[in-house]
Each structure stands twice: as structure tokens, then as C-alpha cells.
Amino acid sequence: QVQLVESGGGSVQAGGSLRLSCAASAPILSSRCMGWFRQAPGKEREGVAISDPASGSTSYADSVKGRFTISRDNAKNTLTLQMNDLKPEDTAMYYCAARPWAWRCPMVVSSYNNWGQGTQVTVSS
């Protein structure tokens, strides 16, 4: 299975920015739905942002719209999440995930079958 490796997490103060990256070990991005998900302690994993390889469209959770931007570089096998105006409630482990494209890219955790190990984001008030 293709490996996904996240990087870029860290600790920031509220209002700050971080840029997460996800590197794939093989050139799969052009044929995969790619997404960022997060899981806070004691909470279920939730979708943050999704990128569709066919249409180029993106979708976001309401809680991050206008603050986060997902982008992909198929040539570099890299997925990125730019996070601005971070809030304490954004604190979580962030995961990169992939699934084969099948006409649409749902923001549903269970539909993704390839996951990275995660990178921690901590936002202090």
C-alpha cells in the first residue's frame, strides 16, 4: 500500500498559521480523492477538507471554511493544508487520507482506506 506521511504540525497561539504537508510514496494523487481529517481527544475523527482529482473541486467542513485551504501537487505527490487564523478548537491530530476516485469524493471517514500516521496541531489561547 502507498504510504502517506504527514508533516508540519506544531504548537501555535490562537490566530496563528500552520502548513501541513502529506507526501505520498507513489504517484497516486492524480487518481485519488485526497483529504485531511482530524481527531481531538475524546472525539470522533472528522473531515476537514477534501480534494477531488477529476474536477479539481474542494470541500471544507463548516468549522474551517474561509480559514483552511487544501491543495495538491500531483507532480510532487504532495497534499497540503494551509491553516490560518487557528483557534483552540482546531487542536487535534491531523491525518492525511486517500481513497480511489469513484465519481465523487465524500467527506466520510469510513470511505477512506489509506491513512497517514498523523501530525499533532496544538493551538493555545
Side-chain angles (χ1 to χ4, degrees):
Q1 193 174 27
V2 175
Q3 287 189 321
L4 302 175
V5 180
E6 302 96 334
S7 61
S11 297
V12 296
Q13 290 190 326
S17 298
L18 283 174
R19 186 178 180 88
L20 305 184
S21 293
C22 171
S25 61
I28 64 167
L29 266 67
S30 61
S31 62
R32 298 289 195 274
C33 297
M34 298 297 299
W36 288 98
F37 296 79
R38 67 186 182 187
Q39 187 167 17
K43 295 187 176 181
E44 293 186 353
R45 192 169 297 188
E46 64 178 3
V48 175
I50 300 295
S51 173
D52 187 308
S55 65
S57 64
T58 56
S59 57
Y60 298 90
D62 288 343
S63 59
V64 307
K65 281 181 181 177
R67 301 188 296 122
F68 291 11
T69 302
I70 187 173
S71 60
R72 61 166 71 207
D73 186 332
N74 291 341
K76 295 182 178 180
N77 302 324
T78 300
L79 183 75
T80 300
L81 184 69
Q82 177 66 43
M83 305 187 296
N84 298 327
D85 190 23
L86 283 161
K87 303 177 180 182
E89 52 264 41
D90 294 319
T91 295
M93 185 73 79
Y94 282 71
Y95 298 91
C96 171
R99 57 159 280 167
W101 181 80
W103 301 106
R104 58 189 290 266
C105 294
M107 193 180 292
V108 176
V109 172
S110 60
S111 70
Y112 287 76
N113 60 358
N114 192 349
W115 293 83
Q117 83 290 350
T119 185
Q120 178 68 37
V121 171
T122 302
V123 184
S124 58
S125 58

